[in-house]
């Protein structure tokens, strides 16, 4: 669904409830030249910057989109996304190289010499996973909501040699699913891609309730009206296995993309329309906690990253904010 170039960051260093050693090695200190690197991890904002962000959002939210325009956007949502993918096709997108580092749960299985299950990352690094069953031929199901043209799906399929892995991929856009299915790497024996409106009251999906190991949402939930997000969280919980996991990464509050909006583009608080008619919401950690805990899931990770990206040629500083969470469905009693 909502796949833009803004999701192509190198990774999310931890700033909250968990610590991940893969990143966090580029901290900006007072003595550093800010233009020494293209990006800095875990940037701390001072009070002046916080207030400037608050004021920026207050200003660009002061004029709301007229109700008639909001209704029109809702009616034309499918056309806007089809047009988006029709324009960009698959030339616009890159595989998400950070995917397995941030979400090693998605990486393929292998058996280490000590017979301890591990995950294999694309660069050869392995990550111990004590929850992995000894039998790596055991069926595993992954469901991505808002798969776009396959930037998450194809890395999973390409790196995995699991005999019984099935990746389900859905998107609101018919055009996106058509592009994904036409990819020469699309294998219907290992992947089933289909159109799904995740806001629909009932989901028409090719799998049973309680059958999915992992649900993935990458810069997707933000494209949905906040009033429908709780329904989606409950549907995800319905289709997850007991012990199944939700992996989500999306836009955080006061991200550069939010601060760039002009007055008149705000649909409702922290929810905006882009120039192409697509919509975007900017989350806090508490927003996501309420959604998924409200659906009966247990929080395992909930982090926010404030990253500084720089254009060294133009000497421009850009402050990005992302959120990343993992929630698990409780085991059946």
């Amino acid at each position: 669904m909502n796949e833009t170039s803004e999701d192509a960051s190198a990774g999310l260093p931890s700033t909250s409830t968990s610590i991940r050693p893969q990143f966090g090695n580029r901290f900006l200190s007072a003595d550093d030249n800010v233009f020494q690197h293209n990006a800095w991890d875990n940037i701390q904002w001072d009070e002046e910057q916080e207030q400037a962000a608050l004021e920026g959002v207050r200003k660009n939210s002061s004029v709301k989109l007229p109700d008639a325009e909001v209704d029109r956007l809702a009616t034309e949502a499918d056309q806007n996304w089809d047009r988006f993918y029709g324009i960009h096709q698959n030339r616009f997108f890159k595989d998400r190289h950070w995917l397995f580092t941030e979400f090693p749960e998605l990486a393929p299985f292998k058996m280490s010499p000590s017979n301890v299950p591990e995950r294999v990352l694309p660069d050869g690094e392995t990550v111990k996973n004590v929850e992995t069953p000894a039998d790596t031929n055991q069926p595993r199901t992954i469901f991505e909501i808002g798969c776009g043209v396959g930037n998450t799906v194809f890395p999973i399929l390409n790196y995995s040699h699991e005999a019984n892995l099935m990746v389900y991929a859905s998107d609101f856009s018919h055009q996106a699913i058509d592009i994904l299915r036409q990819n020469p790497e699309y294998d219907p024996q290992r992947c089933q891609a289909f159109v799904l409106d995740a806001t629909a009251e009932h989901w028409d999906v090719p799998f049973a309730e309680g059958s999915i190991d992992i649900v993935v949402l990458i810069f997707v939930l933000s494209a949905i009206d906040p009033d429908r997000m709780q329904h989606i969280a409950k549907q995800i919980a319905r289709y997850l296995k007991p012990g199944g996991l939700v992996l989500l990464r999306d836009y955080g509050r006061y991200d550069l993309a939010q601060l760039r909006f002009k007055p008149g583009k705000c649909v409702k608080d922290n929810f905006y329309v882009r120039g192409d008619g697509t919509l975007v919401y900017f989350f806090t950690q508490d927003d996501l906690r309420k959604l998924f805990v409200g659906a009966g899931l247990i929080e395992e990770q909930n982090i926010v990253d404030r990253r500084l990206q720089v254009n060294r040629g133009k000497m421009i500083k850009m402050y990005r904010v992302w959120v990343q969470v993992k929630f698990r469905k409780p085991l059946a009693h």
Side-chain angles (χ1 to χ4, degrees), residues 33-303:
N33 174 4
V34 71
F35 295 103
Q36 180 181 357
H37 299 291
N38 291 328
W40 296 90
D41 299 329
N42 197 8
I43 295 295
Q44 300 301 313
W45 287 14
D46 57 26
E47 185 175 347
E48 182 179 354
Q49 192 169 3
E50 292 274 4
Q51 288 302 315
L54 285 167
E55 180 63 17
V57 169
R58 187 192 68 77
K59 286 182 178 179
N60 71 20
S61 303
S62 60
V63 179
K64 295 292 195 294
L65 205 66
D67 290 344
E69 184 68 8
V70 174
D71 293 341
R72 184 184 68 80
L73 287 171
T75 302
E76 298 178 356
D78 56 344
Q79 299 172 42
N80 289 333
W81 280 112
D82 283 345
R83 188 181 305 113
F84 175 86
Y85 286 109
I87 292 171
H88 298 296
Q89 295 288 314
N90 58 1
R91 296 183 299 272
F92 184 69
F93 309 108
K94 303 294 183 183
D95 287 343
R96 292 160 170 150
H97 299 294
W98 48 264
L99 184 68
F100 299 129
T101 305
E102 290 303 306
F103 297 132
E105 298 87 353
L106 295 174
F109 293 127
K110 79 161 193 152
M111 301 302 291
S112 68
S114 61
N115 209 38
V116 177
E118 296 177 331
R119 302 283 188 173
V120 184
L121 304 187
D123 60 4
E125 181 184 351
T126 57
V127 179
K128 291 286 178 71
N129 186 342
V130 296
E131 296 182 3
T132 302
D135 180 9
T136 58
N137 287 322
Q138 181 171 323
R140 190 163 71 114
T141 53
I142 297 172
F143 174 36
E144 184 182 14
I145 301 173
C147 62
V149 297
N151 303 68
T152 295
V153 169
F154 292 123
I156 293 173
L157 293 174
N158 289 342
Y159 286 110
S160 174
H161 298 287
E162 296 166 69
N164 295 306
L165 172 67
M166 174 55 74
V167 178
Y168 296 101
S170 74
D171 201 277
F172 183 56
S173 167
H174 289 77
Q175 183 80 4
I177 295 300
D178 287 344
I179 294 170
L180 188 153
R181 287 174 175 167
Q182 291 166 16
N183 192 307
E185 296 178 341
Y186 179 69
D187 179 359
Q189 299 301 313
R190 305 176 68 217
C191 180
Q192 294 185 37
F194 54 95
V195 175
L196 173 69
D197 178 359
T199 68
E201 195 62 30
H202 301 286
W203 287 4
D204 182 11
V205 293
F207 46 80
E209 294 183 10
S211 66
I212 299 296
D213 291 293
I214 300 175
V215 172
V216 185
L217 303 104
I218 307 292
F219 292 91
V220 169
L221 197 60
S222 54
I224 293 167
D225 190 310
D227 293 341
R228 298 298 294 164
M229 289 181 185
Q230 189 64 69
H231 167 69
I232 293 171
K234 289 180 178 179
Q235 287 291 89
I236 289 170
R238 183 191 307 274
Y239 284 94
L240 276 175
K241 290 179 179 177
L245 195 63
V246 177
L247 307 177
L248 176 147
R249 184 174 177 183
D250 220 318
Y251 296 102
R253 188 71 48 84
Y254 310 132
D255 179 59
L256 173 67
Q258 181 177 18
L259 300 180
R260 280 179 169 172
F261 280 104
K262 304 298 184 185
K265 295 296 184 179
C266 185
V267 178
K268 57 183 72 174
D269 287 349
N270 304 299
F271 191 47
Y272 302 82
V273 59
R274 298 188 182 97
D276 61 4
T278 61
L279 300 166
V280 59
Y281 183 83
F282 296 87
F283 292 98
T284 65
Q285 290 170 283
D286 197 46
D287 286 337
L288 294 167
R289 180 176 294 116
K290 288 178 179 177
L291 282 176
F292 289 106
V293 171
L297 305 183
I298 300 169
E299 181 179 296
E300 291 197 351
Q301 182 189 68
N302 190 339
I303 63 175

Side-chain angles (χ1 to χ4, degrees), residues 302-319:
N302 190 339
I303 63 175
V304 62
D305 173 55
R306 290 172 171 176
R307 171 171 295 212
L308 173 59
Q309 296 181 337
V310 302
N311 183 321
R312 291 191 278 179
K314 297 182 179 179
M315 303 293 282
I316 295 174
K317 294 188 288 186
M318 300 166 286
Y319 290 91

